[in-house]
Amino acid sequence: MSDKEHIKSLIKEAEIYRKQSLLEPSKEKYEEALRLIQNHESYSKGKKLIDTIKSKIRTVEENLVEIDQATDTPELSQEVENLISQLFSFSKNKDVAAMEGAIALAKFGQYDNALAAFRRLIKEGNMPLLAAKNILMCHMTLSSPDAAIAQFRQWVSRDEFSMKNLGYIRTFLENALLKQGIKAGLPQVAEASPEEGKPEEKEEDIIDIASVTIQFTNGPRKGEIVEFDVTFQLGNKISTIIPAHQKDLADAFKPGLRLSEIQCFSSLAVFNGRGTVSGLKRITSGPRRGDYSLDITIDSV
Amino acid sequence: MAVFNSRDRVIECKLVYYGPGRSGKTTNLEYIFKAGKKYTNSEMVSINTKGDRTLFFDFLPIGLGKIRGCDIKVQLYTVPGQAKYSSTRKLVLKNVDGVVFVADSLQIRRKENFLSLKDLQQNLAEQNMSIFKIPLVIQYNKRDLGEQGIPIMPVEVLERDLNSKLKVPSFEASALKGKGVGDTLKKCLVLTLHHLQKELKWSQ
């Protein structure tokens, strides 16, 4: 290939990559062509050609900056937001689906509308605790701990939540703030007895758990920690799969077994819980045939 | 996971187009939308950012009519290919029934193809799904660029890179021109419906 052909081929390649929005490779090819031209005995005198390529490099660089600075949370039409809520709510339970839809909006960065949806859920009495926690997480994700604190103060000043739930929300916010190194003077709520301190919302409060780690607190496996991905979840009941070759592990989960050290990982938070093995059965058909399906009911977080 | 409404005999399933950024996932859906208008009453939804890059997802619902007594509705999605949108990919992949992996034939995208396939495997595993078990089709896109003198990888290299262990059906394509788009979708649908038939035990 002659020098001329080589330069032409590099420019062509750069053009096509640019059209494909493969901007980094496009820039590299233009630069390679420019170097060849500038070092060439006769082409280096062609100022027009050099200027053209330099201009193309500048354009590509500008495009790269534009893309780099483009917002990751564009304003979406109401129609598209409704679609997101609808497409990413997977539960058959209407209330849970409404919550999943609101969480999806938050995950797609539509925080204002997610906040509105969570507030609506609180108003409707649909999983108000979880909605409150998500409102706080939205504020925290927006790097606005002050807004989260202000929101909590507002709840304290109103009658939207019982003292028990306010205490629970307070602990949740306190921990979330501490994780960001913020020690805030949150307003105290009336002292509740240990029993009363538990949130009123139980089953509804747990949602979208991706995985759990369980520590055996007694028996031959005492101290051992195992981790499972959650394959199915309905309210506070989660299911996971134990492969057939881990029969010994499956045998350790006798129905009724109390699990007092469960760590739950969700996309929005990590929290500790307790629960009971509510079922263990061998899968007899389908691709998971032979494996074990383990059901755990989480009764407190 | 597909939804089977046994009363109305309707099956809704979800196919996701996966692959590295700029490999042509959205172009596939755009072509399907244009070419298959009779299969859909809905518009295609795309949420893009600068440079026509998919930011969240593309969505196109299509209807296949009745198969073995069931009305089949398919939701086609694409994921954002750029590495930084990992959490969005996970969300879009949730409850997926079949996957089309759109690989970029350009030589300069060899590593990106590999990384994206690995990302798919990991994200499926997080849902307790195996890349070896899910209905999967690979598409080697942008084959037409070779004719323009742009360095592309031979199909044998792509097969060796991406499909030597998976051994799933693969197709050459030029999505911009529509070549190979229909064949890829058709194969993925056949594999997915066959799989669902076993799972849901749906038959006439």
Side-chain angles (χ1 to χ4, degrees):
Chain A
M1 194 188 283
S2 68
D3 288 346
K4 187 179 176 184
E5 280 169 339
H6 189 192
I7 291 165
K8 270 176 83 175
S9 130
L10 283 171
I11 293 172
K12 187 178 177 187
E13 220 177 312
E15 278 295 300
I16 286 184
Y17 293 157
R18 190 182 58 79
K19 282 182 192 158
Q20 302 257 331
S21 269
L22 297 167
L23 299 176
E24 290 286 0
S26 170
K27 189 183 161 195
E28 282 169 22
K29 292 293 166 188
Y30 278 131
E31 284 173 344
E32 201 180 329
L34 184 64
R35 273 195 304 274
L36 266 177
I37 294 166
Q38 285 173 329
N39 293 329
H40 199 276
E41 202 179 333
S42 32
Y43 298 140
S44 59
K45 289 161 192 152
K47 192 174 176 304
K48 197 175 168 192
L49 180 61
I50 289 174
D51 286 348
T52 306
I53 295 179
K54 279 184 178 171
S55 156
K56 286 192 183 282
I57 292 172
R58 268 197 305 277
T59 308
V60 172
E61 282 172 342
E62 281 163 17
N63 290 342
L64 277 166
V65 171
E66 269 181 38
I67 285 169
D68 195 46
Q69 291 175 348
T71 177
D72 281 354
T73 52
E75 272 190 35
L76 302 178
S77 68
Q78 190 60 50
E79 207 181 352
V80 172
E81 285 194 351
N82 291 344
L83 186 71
I84 287 177
S85 297
Q86 183 200 324
L87 292 178
F88 296 96
S89 52
F90 302 98
S91 177
K92 285 177 185 167
N93 178 306
K94 206 177 144 194
D95 291 343
V96 177
M99 176 60 74
E100 286 176 332
I103 290 174
L105 284 174
K107 284 180 178 172
F108 282 114
Q110 305 304 301
Y111 294 110
D112 288 340
N113 286 296
L115 284 169
F118 289 129
R119 286 188 183 119
R120 203 161 45 239
L121 289 169
I122 292 176
K123 211 172 170 185
E124 290 165 0
N126 182 0
M127 294 183 253
L129 256 186
L130 184 60
K133 278 165 47 175
N134 277 302
I135 284 176
L136 297 176
M137 287 313 289
C138 274
H139 287 310
M140 299 294 285
T141 312
L142 283 166
S143 304
S144 176
D146 288 344
I149 295 165
Q151 175 67 77
F152 179 69
R153 286 182 194 280
Q154 194 184 58
W155 284 332
V156 171
S157 68
R158 292 179 183 175
D159 291 337
E160 275 177 283
F161 294 97
S162 67
M163 283 300 166
K164 283 182 208 174
N165 282 346
L166 274 178
Y168 181 68
I169 295 169
R170 187 185 186 282
T171 308
F172 175 80
L173 177 59
E174 200 170 34
N175 289 337
L177 289 166
L178 279 173
K179 273 182 196 163
Q180 292 198 9
I182 303 165
K183 209 171 174 186
L186 296 174
Q188 291 294 334
V189 291
E191 200 71 26
S193 70
E195 191 54 35
E196 285 172 333
K198 290 179 183 171
E200 286 160 355
E201 214 173 299
K202 281 186 176 175
E203 293 192 4
E204 299 166 334
D205 189 37
I206 301 165
I207 194 169
D208 213 13
I209 300 172
S211 62
V212 291
T213 58
I214 297 169
Q215 183 166 14
F216 289 98
T217 48
N218 48 36
R221 288 179 175 261
K222 188 176 176 181
E224 191 180 326
I225 297 173
V226 285
E227 184 171 353
F228 299 114
D229 284 331
V230 173
T231 50
F232 182 74
Q233 182 182 355
L234 184 64
N236 64 333
K237 293 180 183 63
I238 58 169
S239 301
T240 187
I241 304 280
I242 302 177
H245 68 267
Q246 289 184 293
K247 184 179 179 303
D248 287 353
L249 179 61
D251 287 344
F253 287 99
K254 300 275 183 229
L257 176 73
R258 187 76 186 141
L259 304 167
S260 50
E261 296 279 347
I262 305 175
Q263 195 164 34
C264 306
F265 297 86
S266 81
S267 52
L268 289 173
V270 178
F271 51 94
N272 294 319
R274 287 187 288 276
T276 306
V277 175
S278 47
L280 177 74
K281 61 174 186 267
R282 195 96 193 253
I283 300 169
T284 54
S285 63
R288 287 288 191 168
R289 189 176 170 179
D291 292 347
Y292 297 88
S293 170
L294 170 67
D295 299 331
I296 296 167
T297 302
I298 295 177
D299 50 33
S300 62
V301 292
Chain B
M1 189 181 282
V3 178
F4 179 32
N5 181 333
S6 55
R7 199 187 60 185
D8 300 333
R9 298 197 66 77
V10 176
I11 291 178
E12 284 181 9
C13 61
K14 177 175 182 177
L15 260 55
V16 173
Y17 280 70
Y18 213 94
R22 311 304 302 167
S23 63
K25 301 174 289 295
T26 300
T27 313
N28 264 270
L29 248 64
E30 281 170 347
Y31 184 81
I32 294 164
F33 177 58
K34 278 182 209 153
K37 281 214 163 165
K38 63 179 175 180
Y39 298 111
T40 179
N41 297 321
S42 312
E43 288 297 308
M44 178 174 157
V45 176
S46 292
I47 305 170
N48 297 337
T49 183
K50 285 274 175 196
D52 279 340
R53 286 165 152 79
T54 301
L55 178 59
F56 292 161
F57 60 90
D58 302 304
F59 171 68
L60 176 63
I62 57 172
L64 299 183
K66 281 201 187 300
I67 299 177
R68 287 178 183 260
C70 274
D71 213 0
I72 311 291
K73 294 181 175 175
V74 184
Q75 296 184 332
L76 303 178
Y77 289 80
T78 68
V79 295
Q82 291 178 80
K84 64 178 176 175
Y85 297 128
S86 171
S87 61
T88 307
R89 275 194 297 281
K90 285 181 192 179
L91 191 59
V92 174
L93 206 58
K94 203 167 172 184
N95 289 356
V96 63
D97 296 299
V99 177
V100 172
F101 184 83
V102 182
D104 196 325
S105 296
L106 287 171
Q107 214 158 55
I108 55 163
R109 304 296 280 169
R110 187 174 185 177
K111 189 178 158 198
E112 280 74 13
N113 286 333
F114 182 73
L115 290 176
S116 178
L117 192 64
K118 203 173 160 197
D119 181 64
L120 170 65
Q121 182 176 15
Q122 280 170 353
N123 287 339
L124 285 172
E126 281 184 24
Q127 292 192 50
N128 266 327
M129 296 172 100
S130 164
I131 197 169
F132 293 98
K133 288 180 183 169
I134 193 164
L136 171 68
V137 172
I138 299 180
Q139 181 187 80
Y140 302 126
N141 195 20
K142 305 189 188 175
R143 300 308 299 169
D144 54 316
L145 291 180
E147 295 157 18
Q148 297 180 45
I150 304 300
I152 61 168
M153 286 173 277
V155 171
E156 297 73 40
V157 172
L158 287 158
E159 279 282 301
R160 202 168 52 234
D161 277 2
L162 307 170
N163 204 14
S164 59
K165 286 183 185 162
L166 292 170
K167 298 192 190 315
V168 296
S170 60
F171 295 87
E172 293 183 46
S174 304
L176 208 55
K177 296 175 178 174
K179 197 182 159 206
V181 172
D183 291 341
T184 308
L185 174 63
K186 194 175 161 190
K187 190 66 189 179
C188 191
L189 281 169
V190 167
L191 291 178
T192 304
L193 293 175
H194 188 67
H195 184 75
L196 290 178
Q197 203 177 344
K198 279 188 196 165
E199 287 276 301
L200 302 172
K201 295 184 172 51
W202 123 70
S203 61
Q204 208 152 12

